[in-house]
Amino acid sequence: MAYSGKVTSPESLGRILQQARLLNGWSQRELAARIGTTQRYIWEIEAGKPSIFVERLFALMRETGTELTATVNPRNDDE
């Protein structure tokens, strides 16, 4: 079953990504290993930690009237 949500801020993006991770049954450490980064980096993204790129991205979206929606599809590790 897919889940969708509107992404309005770094925090909402982080929450959606956290839910996707949990839906797949992964810890932050497991997800970090899967994508070749650190657990701290995953934590920072899920917490909506500000970064220049993300802040400018959402400012650009607000200014241009752009909306972003995320859809979470549970992975099948056989794929």
Side-chain angles (χ1 to χ4, degrees):
M1 174 179 234
Y3 299 92
S4 294
K6 187 173 176 185
V7 181
T8 58
S9 67
E11 294 82 11
S12 67
L13 177 59
R15 283 191 301 270
I16 290 168
L17 290 170
Q18 179 185 48
Q19 290 303 311
R21 175 180 59 78
L22 294 171
L23 187 62
N24 283 289
W26 301 324
S27 67
Q28 288 180 341
R29 191 173 310 272
E30 289 170 320
L31 178 55
R34 292 177 74 95
I35 66 168
T37 192
T38 64
Q39 180 270 330
R40 180 180 175 91
Y41 184 72
I42 301 298
W43 176 85
E44 289 174 351
I45 291 173
E46 290 183 356
K49 183 178 178 190
S51 72
I52 291 172
F53 172 77
V54 172
E55 292 299 324
R56 288 182 180 163
L57 173 65
F58 282 96
L60 178 66
M61 289 171 52
R62 280 189 300 277
E63 198 63 30
T64 61
T66 303
E67 291 185 356
L68 180 63
T69 302
T71 301
V72 178
N73 294 302
R75 280 184 47 106
N76 177 354
D77 279 339
D78 295 335
E79 295 176 351

